[in-house]
Amino acid sequence: VPLTKQAADILARRIANLAGSDFVFTTDGRTAMDRGTLTNYVTAIAAEMLEAGEAHMPFTLRDLLRSLETLLSSWGVSSDVRKLQQSHGLGGVQQRHYDRYEYLREKRAALQLLTMHLTRLLEGRRASRPRRIRRTPPVPAALNAGSGATMAS
């Protein structure tokens, strides 16, 4: 799983405070946190934010995931990488059986865009639109048509 430096630092602090638990994300130290618990936390946070005037309407975990998908799309992150970021995986025969590439570089780039965006918001700065990432990586010179290079060279 690709992590930004900020996420790795947070995770390292969390691991240092496990106090004998086998789970990084747990509510009781004995069992892993499930999605329902996370959903309940988000609902409680939304209610607190509404009461404090920090949110204009209630929101759910699904709303946050939808917002993430929309932001990543607006920044030029490909549909495949967005699916992988949200753990949906890629479908179809080609992806299931032939494409073994892990997309780590692309996932890290998307996470870095999100980290920069969130950092600006947390610092009270206006969240500017991050520079779009390239949808396709450059083609190596050896694979360019007419270069005279072959796969064996």
Side-chain angles (χ1 to χ4, degrees), residues 65-85:
L65 294 172
R66 184 175 29 251
S67 295
L68 172 63
E69 178 84 11
T70 301
L71 280 172
L72 293 176
S73 180
S74 75
W75 297 334
V77 176
S78 74
S79 175
D80 286 351
V81 173
R82 294 191 321 265
K83 287 176 193 172
L84 292 166
Q85 287 292 66

Side-chain angles (χ1 to χ4, degrees), residues 76-109:
V77 176
S78 74
S79 175
D80 286 351
V81 173
R82 294 191 321 265
K83 287 176 193 172
L84 292 166
Q85 287 292 66
Q86 298 218 36
S87 298
H88 296 300
L90 300 177
V93 172
Q94 182 178 359
Q95 283 82 14
R96 277 196 311 265
H97 299 289
Y98 302 114
D99 186 357
R100 299 292 184 208
Y101 181 60
E102 294 181 347
Y103 296 88
L104 291 176
R105 183 181 63 211
E106 293 83 356
K107 289 191 273 186
R108 273 193 192 96

Side-chain angles (χ1 to χ4, degrees), residues 2-135:
L3 296 173
T4 62
K5 180 185 180 328
Q6 294 87 339
D9 290 346
I10 291 168
L11 192 56
R13 286 193 306 270
R14 182 72 184 118
I15 290 170
N17 294 318
L18 287 179
S21 176
D22 292 333
F23 301 100
V24 175
F25 302 104
T26 179
T27 56
D28 62 8
R30 295 182 310 274
T31 57
M33 183 185 301
D34 65 18
R35 186 181 176 117
T37 302
L38 183 58
T39 297
N40 292 338
Y41 279 140
V42 171
T43 301
I45 291 168
E48 289 177 21
M49 289 179 71
L50 275 171
E51 188 173 314
E54 297 171 345
H56 303 292
M57 64 180 66
F59 57 88
T60 65
L61 179 59
R62 184 175 177 176
D63 294 326
L64 295 177
L65 294 172
R66 184 175 29 251
S67 295
L68 172 63
E69 178 84 11
T70 301
L71 280 172
L72 293 176
S73 180
S74 75
W75 297 334
V77 176
S78 74
S79 175
D80 286 351
V81 173
R82 294 191 321 265
K83 287 176 193 172
L84 292 166
Q85 287 292 66
Q86 298 218 36
S87 298
H88 296 300
L90 300 177
V93 172
Q94 182 178 359
Q95 283 82 14
R96 277 196 311 265
H97 299 289
Y98 302 114
D99 186 357
R100 299 292 184 208
Y101 181 60
E102 294 181 347
Y103 296 88
L104 291 176
R105 183 181 63 211
E106 293 83 356
K107 289 191 273 186
R108 273 193 192 96
L111 288 172
Q112 192 57 44
L113 288 174
L114 181 63
T115 298
M116 291 179 341
H117 177 75
L118 293 175
T119 299
R120 290 182 67 87
L121 291 175
L122 289 171
E123 292 173 349
R125 295 187 288 157
R126 185 173 174 198
S128 63
R129 183 179 173 145
R131 191 176 80 209
R132 292 175 63 90
I133 63 173
R134 272 194 232 169
R135 287 196 183 266

